[in-house]
Amino acid sequence: MNESKTSSGAVWSLVLGILSLLCLGPVTGIPAVICGHKARGTIRRSSGAVTGSVMAMAGLVLGYIGTLVITLTILGWILAFCVFSCRLQSRFDDRISEEKGYATRLQIASICAAIDMYEVDVGKYPQSLDDLVRNGGSPTWRGPYLTSRGSVADAWGRSLTYSMSDDSYRVSSAGQDGIVGTSDDISN
């Protein structure tokens, strides 16, 4: 009696294919595909002495599906992480911009206080912000009203602008975009 035996490669292909579908994906899916192809070749060449062609085919299919499903799942998680990171970065950048706006408003308020002290001491507004740091020749100057001319910058590192008339003055920043006359400008 001629008994045929089941291919061990077909059994391994099926077991590894099931594991790839359950949780291990390409780790066991690729070996399942390799074992399945080898087993099918062995079965074909054995002229009926070795069986398990259906088992090898099932292992092949499960190996391919498991590898594909787990790989796509991992890629989906990576994509979701990237999207979340981009949104988080955008929120972070917005928050930093808001904080720089607050810091610039405080800087402008501080400079306005120094200008007002200068006006009380000298009797007129300074010609430029440099007059708050160095005496331009006024005998009633009691400054410096600012520690340095370098402290007259907005939170983005750009110089603040100062303009004055006989009865008023304006200290302003071009804001985040650095362009004067846009909606993000900040002034007293």
Side-chain angles (χ1 to χ4, degrees):
M1 184 168 175
N2 191 6
E3 278 193 40
S4 58
K5 68 176 192 166
T6 303
S7 167
S8 62
V11 172
W12 275 111
S13 177
L14 182 61
V15 169
L16 292 171
I18 291 170
L19 287 174
S20 76
L21 195 57
L22 293 176
C23 62
L24 298 175
V27 174
T28 58
I30 293 171
V33 169
I34 293 169
C35 288
H37 280 294
K38 282 187 161 191
R40 285 179 48 96
T42 301
I43 292 166
R44 233 180 284 120
R45 285 188 302 274
S46 74
S47 300
V50 180
T51 63
S53 180
V54 172
M55 202 180 304
M57 180 57 78
L60 271 168
V61 170
L62 291 175
Y64 279 125
I65 291 172
T67 299
L68 183 65
V69 166
I70 299 298
T71 302
L72 289 177
T73 301
I74 290 169
L75 289 175
W77 279 105
I78 291 170
L79 179 64
F81 176 76
C82 290
V83 168
F84 175 75
S85 295
C86 288
R87 285 187 176 175
L88 187 61
Q89 182 65 40
S90 175
R91 284 177 151 175
F92 183 71
D93 291 344
D94 291 346
R95 181 64 186 204
I96 287 175
S97 179
E98 284 178 29
E99 296 302 323
K100 285 185 175 186
Y102 295 140
T104 298
R105 283 182 188 83
L106 288 173
Q107 180 69 0
I108 288 173
S110 171
I111 292 168
C112 288
I115 291 170
D116 291 340
M117 288 181 357
Y118 178 96
E119 194 267 336
V120 166
D121 290 346
V122 177
K124 62 180 182 173
Y125 292 123
Q127 294 298 312
S128 74
L129 295 178
D130 288 333
D131 293 345
L132 300 173
V133 179
R134 287 186 306 287
N135 187 355
S138 173
T140 58
W141 191 82
R142 294 173 43 188
Y145 301 93
L146 293 176
T147 55
S148 73
R149 177 66 172 103
S151 65
V152 186
D154 62 16
W156 294 277
R158 293 184 292 268
S159 293
L160 295 171
T161 58
Y162 168 72
S163 59
M164 62 103 186
S165 64
D166 290 337
D167 60 345
S168 68
Y169 62 88
R170 179 181 165 119
V171 179
S172 59
S173 162
Q176 180 182 358
D177 65 5
I179 301 170
V180 176
T182 58
S183 64
D184 70 337
D185 291 1
I186 302 168
S187 65
N188 61 320

